[in-house]
Amino acid sequence: MKVRRILHGLGAAGALLLLAASPAAAQYTTFNQPDPATGEKYHVEVAFGLWNPTPEIIFSSEQFGIPGSDISLQEDLDAAKKTFRDFRLVLRPARKHKFRAEYVPIKYDVDTVLRRSIIFNGNLYQVGLPVQGALKWDAWRFGYEYDFIYRDRGFIGIIAEAKYTHVSADLASPLVSEFAEARAPIPALGLVGRGYLLPNLAITGEFTGFRLPESDSRDYSGRYYDFDVYATLNFTNNVGVTGGYRRLTLGYQVDNDFGDFRMKGLYVMGVARF
């Protein structure tokens, strides 16, 4: 009888220990479960918006051994400030891995009367002549992002990307018409970081860049810098709105052709995630 009572007491005590341990284990498991901020649960992110940059663009093109003038898009050709569309896509197969793409079609129309004579692509455009044309810059980005530090309320990552750039310019007057273009893929590396001020309000900053300095062994050089800082308000995991400031710099020299493009300004975008 004593043995039976002892066993019965041990069984009751064990049951109480199990009941006490179960809530503690449940609490421990819940505490360690990921709890990402609103907007961080997705595999596909699509964004579309409008960018209103202030341009500072100078370009030059030579032909037949005749050096071209440094032509200012604003001062010489009176190009007006414009708003451009911005398309962005992010594929996220895993928590820390992202494949990114972006396309910004930039075009400035030219319709003015020259206040000074300029040389473009080996031809002289006389002062006082009317000039029409356009400058186009198709800016593509294809990249991979790895977030080596990832927390529920932010991350820090590295970016490796290729920026495919196609720049073309055409100028026509009653006496002459010329066209020039340059295109090239440009590699770039950079950093990205994000932090949440509120559970659904994030601040993100990223910078990518590349520089190929001048050299006596080659007849080309270039640089590409892209700085972007923005805030995202996520209404749900699937829908949000982004507002930010971006500065984009492109410089190149191929033989005697030259370009210096600087674009900076505010933008706003709608964001959808799946």
Side-chain angles (χ1 to χ4, degrees):
M1 291 294 296
K2 289 184 179 181
V3 173
R4 184 179 297 177
R5 290 177 182 175
I6 292 172
L7 291 176
H8 181 74
L10 289 174
L16 290 173
L17 287 174
L18 288 174
L19 289 173
S22 295
Q27 291 175 8
Y28 181 81
T29 303
T30 302
F31 178 79
N32 283 276
Q33 287 294 323
D35 182 25
T38 304
E40 293 296 325
K41 298 178 181 179
Y42 68 93
H43 292 292
V44 179
E45 181 180 80
V46 181
F48 170 76
L50 299 174
W51 183 32
N52 186 235
T54 299
E56 299 175 12
I57 296 177
I58 298 174
F59 63 96
S60 174
S61 180
E62 68 92 26
Q63 190 171 228
F64 311 124
I66 303 174
S69 303
D70 289 350
I71 302 171
S72 169
L73 185 68
Q74 296 73 44
E75 296 179 6
D76 293 318
L77 303 180
D78 294 328
K81 185 178 179 180
K82 293 180 64 176
T83 299
F84 303 104
R85 295 167 294 169
D86 190 345
F87 304 88
R88 302 186 186 185
L89 172 67
V90 177
L91 303 178
R92 188 188 185 203
R95 191 182 190 196
K96 294 186 176 184
H97 303 272
K98 299 172 186 173
F99 296 93
R100 303 153 37 123
E102 181 185 14
Y103 174 54
V104 182
I106 298 171
K107 180 182 178 182
Y108 289 99
D109 297 312
V110 174
D111 188 358
T112 188
V113 176
L114 291 177
R115 293 186 292 272
R116 71 178 180 106
S117 297
I118 59 174
I119 298 175
F120 175 67
N121 218 25
N123 286 274
L124 175 65
Y125 292 73
Q126 292 279 9
V127 60
L129 285 178
V131 173
Q132 293 81 37
L135 184 139
K136 299 179 182 179
W137 177 8
D138 290 329
W140 289 88
R141 298 173 71 191
F142 303 96
Y144 166 73
E145 175 186 332
Y146 174 67
D147 300 327
F148 57 89
I149 298 177
Y150 196 99
R151 301 291 184 267
D152 291 340
R153 296 296 181 266
F155 60 80
I156 299 175
I158 57 174
I159 302 172
E161 62 183 14
K163 302 173 182 288
Y164 180 78
T165 296
H166 179 202
V167 177
S168 63
D170 65 271
L171 296 178
S173 75
L175 301 179
V176 64
S177 178
E178 281 295 334
F179 173 83
E181 67 176 350
R183 65 179 74 196
I186 303 173
L189 295 173
L191 293 172
V192 59
R194 175 175 296 171
Y196 276 80
L197 301 180
L198 299 172
N200 64 335
L201 178 61
I203 302 295
T204 307
E206 62 179 74
F207 174 80
T208 57
F210 174 80
R211 181 177 179 85
L212 184 65
E214 297 180 4
S215 172
D216 294 334
S217 62
R218 61 176 181 273
D219 54 4
Y220 58 89
S221 62
R223 69 187 189 281
Y224 202 125
Y225 304 118
D226 194 346
F227 171 78
D228 192 359
V229 59
Y230 54 93
T232 303
L233 178 62
N234 296 305
F235 304 111
T236 69
N237 278 316
N238 303 108
V239 179
V241 62
T242 290
Y245 173 86
R246 186 177 186 184
R247 181 183 178 95
L248 189 59
T249 302
L250 167 67
Y252 67 87
Q253 182 163 358
V254 181
D255 296 324
N256 291 319
D257 287 2
F258 165 81
D260 187 9
F261 296 66
R262 303 169 190 267
M263 312 278 287
K264 55 184 178 180
L266 301 173
Y267 66 88
V268 63
M269 309 187 78
V271 183
R273 304 182 190 87
F274 310 94

